[in-house]
Amino acid sequence: MSDYCIRGTANDGQVRLWAAVTTELCEEARQRHDTYPTATAALGRVLTAGAMMGLNLKGQDILTIRVNGDGPLGSIVVTANAMGVVRGYVDNPHTQLPAKSPGKLDVGGAVGKNGLLHISKDLGLKEAYTGSVPLVNGEIGEDLTRYFAESEQTPSAIALGVLVDTDNRVRAAGGFMVQLMPGASEESAIQLEENINRLPQVSRMVDEGLTPEDIAEQVLAGMDFQILETTPLYFHCPCSRERSQWILKGMGQEELSSLLAEQGSAELVCSFCGNKHNFTAEDLAKIIDELSCEA
Ligand code: ZN
């Protein structure tokens, strides 16, 4: 497993940074959902952002990012937690648009420029936090920058990149996120801006073999940087046959009986990971039986 994220601070806590390589988890998402290149890049960018942002949560809390644009992709939904576990999907995985320029996939065109970016944090027993902002351009990085500025009053710079190879596989993916903390000096802000303006595309950096540490070094060049945490990242979905069974049970005796009569079996497909759970006529009859006993 080569995907991981580092979290650190620079200049005595004035700057916070996350840098991640996400090639494998983006490729796993591509395989699971059979995404075409433009959809692969769009989903990969949101997965990468989710992976980094999820690390700010605590315990079992869950972050959900929803990008609802008016483009052909439909919605993109990603969830992440503090353990580096991410999963996600796009409504229309076979979305493919002509590239804007060689190697530059038209993510903004696929997402659409009109719509909303929603962030929710399910904080265990506490009430869920939600915030949303209008999309800037559907390219994800700038949309998230706006979210942090408007909803969390935190000046940020976010770079996300997914390089799709000629065989449609994810060749390199990763990103970084830097934030200025309250009280950060003007010098820190200027230095950071100069550094970021000098950088090549983040997917190119990953493709050249740069690690999250290498990326951090370039983003924070000239600053005193300290790594606080290194977290492996992976695509994982907690769905299971048991959960699917719960969903069937939730339909109730009557609806299940008509499903059994009409279709003879049921197949539940998890939208997050594409896993299928099949229930035969016998399985369905058993669930209906259990429901009638409970009633
Ligand atoms: Zn699943």
Side-chain angles (χ1 to χ4, degrees):
M1 178 68 63
S2 60
D3 289 350
Y4 65 95
C5 183
I6 59 164
R7 203 166 60 83
T9 61
N11 288 3
D12 296 321
Q14 291 181 40
V15 178
R16 296 204 296 173
L17 170 130
W18 296 254
V21 167
T22 56
T23 309
E24 286 183 23
L25 74 90
C26 290
E27 170 60 12
E28 178 162 354
R30 180 195 72 82
Q31 290 180 19
R32 285 184 172 275
H33 299 299
D34 188 31
T35 49
Y36 289 5
T38 315
T40 304
L43 177 58
R45 287 187 196 178
V46 185
L47 285 167
T48 301
M52 294 192 286
M53 290 168 67
L55 298 183
N56 304 330
L57 300 170
K58 293 188 180 71
Q60 303 296 317
D61 298 350
I62 294 169
L63 170 90
T64 304
I65 305 177
R66 275 171 209 279
V67 183
N68 295 326
D70 62 351
L73 264 184
S75 297
I76 307 173
V77 184
V78 163
T79 78
N81 68 14
M83 276 79 77
V85 176
V86 265
R87 60 176 186 163
Y89 66 90
V90 292
D91 279 347
N92 300 309
H94 289 177
T95 303
Q96 176 62 354
L97 297 182
K100 288 203 287 194
S101 59
K104 223 167 167 354
L105 293 163
D106 191 5
V107 170
V111 169
K113 284 160 187 61
N114 302 305
L116 289 172
L117 167 78
H118 299 276
I119 304 279
S120 64
K121 296 174 189 170
D122 189 348
L123 309 172
L125 295 173
K126 279 173 281 167
E127 211 165 294
Y129 161 89
T130 59
S132 59
V133 291
L135 295 174
V136 176
N137 56 11
E139 297 278 341
I140 313 301
E142 285 174 57
D143 305 309
L144 281 164
T145 301
R146 179 179 195 167
Y147 164 79
F148 279 113
E150 293 183 9
S151 287
E152 302 199 358
Q153 286 77 48
T154 308
S156 313
I158 299 162
L160 306 163
V162 178
L163 187 64
V164 180
D165 216 336
T166 46
D167 63 0
N168 288 352
R169 293 173 70 86
V170 175
R171 185 167 143 161
F176 66 81
M177 185 163 90
V178 267
Q179 298 186 330
L180 285 172
M181 294 295 101
S185 68
E186 187 84 350
E187 290 79 44
S188 293
I190 292 167
Q191 171 94 68
L192 204 53
E193 198 175 342
E194 281 176 5
N195 290 352
I196 291 170
N197 288 340
R198 263 203 306 267
L199 294 178
Q201 279 177 34
V202 67
S203 57
R204 298 282 168 197
M205 294 166 88
V206 176
D207 193 40
E208 281 163 19
L210 268 64
T211 62
E213 289 85 348
D214 298 330
I215 295 169
E217 216 164 89
Q218 296 206 17
V219 175
L220 302 173
M223 297 185 181
D224 171 31
F225 174 55
Q226 201 189 353
I227 295 175
L228 301 175
E229 194 180 68
T230 300
T231 311
L233 302 174
Y234 49 99
F235 189 106
H236 173 74
C237 184
C239 71
S240 64
R241 189 176 167 79
E242 285 67 38
R243 282 187 192 219
S244 292
Q245 198 161 324
W246 270 105
I247 293 168
L248 288 172
K249 270 195 166 178
M251 288 168 62
Q253 210 175 332
E254 229 167 274
E255 213 178 316
L256 264 184
S257 300
S258 59
L259 178 81
L260 175 60
E262 283 161 26
Q263 300 183 18
S265 63
E267 181 185 76
L268 271 70
V269 183
C270 174
S271 47
F272 274 105
C273 68
N275 281 351
K276 293 181 177 129
H277 298 114
N278 289 296
F279 294 86
T280 62
E282 215 172 292
D283 296 331
L284 292 177
K286 208 171 143 200
I287 297 170
I288 293 166
D289 236 30
E290 281 171 23
L291 280 171
S292 64
C293 291
E294 285 165 17

